[in-house]
């Protein structure tokens, strides 16, 4: 992947490309542009590239190494969040935590946040993934990019979606507040997570597509959604993973 700038020079972002498993030579970028900087979710972690100077500003690796081979690791574009304290870049990764002693290796989603100005790691969390019923039951996701992706972040929570499951992580404790299988978050507004709920059946359709797919929303804190939106609203369980509900549902 390459970017051109006003001076005519090209910036190569090899780490930003990942092959498409079903589309020949097509690639799916894992890069976000902001203020003349390309933030890249590479195989090993986050990297910032000055597109004007064609130089790497900083790079920060994840705690756990990426698995090599095949098509490489699945990655999604980072999320760039501007706040009063500065700009922070978030990305999420599929990782395997090595086993120790009698404890076997285990899969994890690792979330990394880096201060955009200094390049210093600002926050980190990891948790065990729970793939959607559709993907878990069939192992199929067609050619969709269902890689871990940070959807939104503020001072209290980080919202991640991966394999058609949505997770909300507490910024202070780094623990999961709640998670919903078969629910892919797409946005967060006024503390409400909105997205699509799949039918939960194995198949080749994408997230929240096909028969039975529904739009859903749920509060970040896992409580009752008191102010219902114009089209849909919902409720989220804190421990048992209750499904969101439609307005007027009993």
């Amino acid at each position: 992947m390459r970017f051109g700038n006003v001076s005519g020079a090209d910036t190569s972002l090899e780490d930003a490309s990942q092959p498409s498993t079903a589309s020949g030579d097509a690639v799916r970028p894992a890069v976000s542009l902001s203020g003349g900087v390309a933030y890249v979710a590479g195989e090993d972690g986050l990297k910032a590239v000055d597109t004007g100077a064609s130089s790497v500003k900083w790079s920060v690796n994840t705690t756990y190494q990426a698995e090599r081979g095949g098509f490489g690791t699945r990655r999604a574009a980072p999320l760039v969040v501007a706040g009063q304290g500065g700009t922070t870049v978030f990305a999420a990764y599929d990782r395997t935590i090595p086993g120790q002693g009698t404890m076997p290796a285990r899969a994890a989603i690792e979330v990394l946040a880096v201060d955009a100005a200094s390049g210093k790691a600002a926050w980190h969390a990891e948790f065990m993934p729970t793939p959607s019923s559709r993907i878990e039951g069939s192992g199929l996701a067609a050619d969709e990019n269902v890689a871990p992706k940070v959807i939104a972040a503020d001072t209290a929570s980080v919202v991640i979606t991966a394999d058609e499951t949505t997770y909300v992580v507490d910024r202070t404790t780094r623990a999961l507040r709640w998670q919903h299988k078969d629910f892919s978050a797409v946005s967060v507004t006024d503390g409400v997570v909105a997205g699509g709920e799949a039918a939960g059946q194995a198949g080749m359709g994408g997230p929240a597509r096909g028969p039975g797919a529904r739009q859903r929303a749920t509060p970040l804190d896992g409580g009752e959604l008191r102010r219902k939106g114009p089209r849909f609203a919902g409720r989220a369980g804190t421990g048992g993973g209750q499904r969101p509900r439609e307005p007027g549902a009993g």
Side-chain angles (χ1 to χ4, degrees):
M1 177 170 295
R2 306 182 70 86
F3 285 91
N5 54 40
V6 293
S7 65
D10 283 344
T11 300
S12 178
L13 299 176
E14 299 300 332
D15 289 350
S17 298
Q18 55 185 327
S20 169
T21 57
S23 303
D25 295 330
V27 295
R28 295 182 298 196
V31 58
S32 296
L33 292 172
S34 179
V37 178
Y39 297 101
V40 179
E43 290 271 6
D44 297 314
L46 275 168
K47 179 170 72 174
V49 178
D50 186 322
T51 58
S54 298
S55 60
V56 176
K57 297 183 62 178
W58 50 257
S59 62
V60 178
N61 288 348
T62 55
T63 301
Y64 304 101
Q65 295 183 350
E67 294 186 5
R68 304 298 182 183
F71 286 99
T73 59
R74 305 177 308 162
R75 289 164 285 129
L79 176 71
V80 182
V81 179
Q84 293 182 346
T87 299
T88 306
V89 186
F90 292 81
Y93 297 85
D94 283 317
R95 289 294 187 256
T96 299
I97 300 177
Q100 293 183 341
T102 59
M103 181 178 295
R106 62 191 188 277
I109 293 176
E110 182 175 352
V111 187
L112 177 64
V114 178
D115 180 84
S118 67
K120 294 182 179 180
W123 188 78
H124 167 271
E126 60 194 50
F127 55 89
M128 184 179 298
T130 307
S132 78
S133 302
R134 187 177 73 91
I135 294 176
E136 189 176 46
S138 66
L140 299 175
D143 194 38
E144 304 151 16
N145 192 352
V146 290
K149 181 178 182 178
V150 180
I151 301 299
D154 59 19
T155 57
S157 307
V158 179
V159 181
I160 304 105
T161 185
D163 285 325
E164 298 179 12
T165 295
T166 294
Y167 309 87
V168 175
V169 180
D170 188 289
R171 286 288 298 270
T172 301
T173 66
R174 305 172 196 265
L176 280 176
R177 285 186 172 180
W178 54 260
Q179 65 183 38
H180 278 307
K181 294 178 68 171
D182 307 315
F183 175 67
S184 296
V186 296
S187 64
V188 179
T189 304
D190 296 332
V192 177
V193 183
E197 185 181 53
Q201 297 178 348
M204 298 297 288
R209 289 198 285 263
R214 295 180 292 270
Q215 288 182 311
R216 295 289 188 182
T218 186
L220 273 173
D221 61 7
E224 181 73 31
L225 184 63
R226 300 183 183 279
R227 185 175 60 189
K228 297 180 179 180
R231 292 191 59 191
F232 53 92
R235 138 180 277 172
T238 56
Q242 289 177 278
R243 287 171 49 187
R245 67 180 185 184
E246 298 287 358

